[in-house]
Amino acid sequence: MGYGNQNRSYVMLSGFYARDDEGSIDVPDSFFDEQQDPEAGFGGGTGRTRRNFSPPAENLLVSPEFQVSLFG
């Protein structure tokens, strides 16, 4: 969204929202550590915990942009 003229004064606001789907990425076995406590593991107490892999997340980015033209 924005208001103004790009050659003169303006203000704009951009937004982006993203959400990861939990099942959209197959995690290779190399990202799991079998040495962990079975009750504290990833995957329902199987003893497998994620290592070096970020869990699914939500992201929201809001970015303002503006310009003030003082002289013609």
Side-chain angles (χ1 to χ4, degrees), residues 15-20 57-62:
F16 178 78
Y17 173 77
R19 182 181 64 170
D20 299 332
E58 291 184 81
N59 302 290
L60 175 64
L61 172 68
V62 178

Side-chain angles (χ1 to χ4, degrees), residues 7-30:
N7 297 327
R8 308 191 110 206
S9 298
Y10 66 88
V11 61
M12 287 197 276
L13 188 64
S14 301
F16 178 78
Y17 173 77
R19 182 181 64 170
D20 299 332
D21 290 329
E22 188 169 345
S24 66
I25 298 176
D26 291 329
V27 180
D29 287 337
S30 63

Side-chain angles (χ1 to χ4, degrees), residues 1 5 7 12 22 26 31 50-51 55-57 67-68 70:
M1 288 191 297
N5 185 333
N7 297 327
M12 287 197 276
E22 188 169 345
D26 291 329
F31 284 100
R50 288 186 186 206
R51 180 174 50 110
Q67 171 178 300
V68 177
L70 299 176

Side-chain angles (χ1 to χ4, degrees), residues 29-61:
D29 287 337
S30 63
F31 284 100
F32 291 99
D33 185 2
E34 300 287 345
Q35 309 297 322
Q36 298 294 321
D37 178 20
E39 298 302 319
F42 168 79
T46 62
R48 301 177 75 191
T49 57
R50 288 186 186 206
R51 180 174 50 110
N52 299 325
F53 192 79
S54 298
E58 291 184 81
N59 302 290
L60 175 64
L61 172 68

